[in-house]
Amino acid sequence: MRTDGTHIWALVPLLAALSACASGSGDYPSLAMRPFELAPPPAASSPPQPTRRATPPARIAELRAAAAAAEAGFAAREPAAARLARAAAGQPFE
């Protein structure tokens, strides 16, 4: 630990920099209410209209059936794919 006082002089530039930050310039905006803050709120508008018609229930059922068939096909092929992946483990990619 130094006892000659030189470590105190190392703090002088830091104190000078901090004092520059503390100066008040007076350029802050006013906190008074602005005209648009005093105006009454705008009238409520009607709710937005949908951009497209709803999908018919028959089409949704058709899409669900197609998704279920695709998932069943994927699940049926999973054991063979797992077997191939285990066989290829550690092999060079060429």
Side-chain angles (χ1 to χ4, degrees):
M1 188 158 144
R2 296 174 127 175
T3 58
D4 59 0
T6 57
H7 62 283
I8 298 292
W9 291 106
L11 295 176
V12 171
L14 294 174
L15 292 174
L18 286 175
S19 66
C21 294
S23 67
S25 63
D27 294 339
Y28 298 106
S30 170
L31 296 177
M33 297 291 278
R34 293 165 287 197
F36 74 88
E37 295 174 317
L38 297 173
S45 62
S46 62
Q49 298 298 318
T51 56
R52 64 183 207 139
R53 294 187 312 260
T55 305
R59 176 69 177 142
I60 291 176
E62 180 183 313
L63 291 171
R64 285 186 183 192
E71 197 277 332
F74 179 83
R77 292 183 179 166
E78 191 274 332
R83 207 170 34 257
L84 289 173
R86 282 191 302 274
Q91 299 296 320
F93 65 91
E94 294 92 18

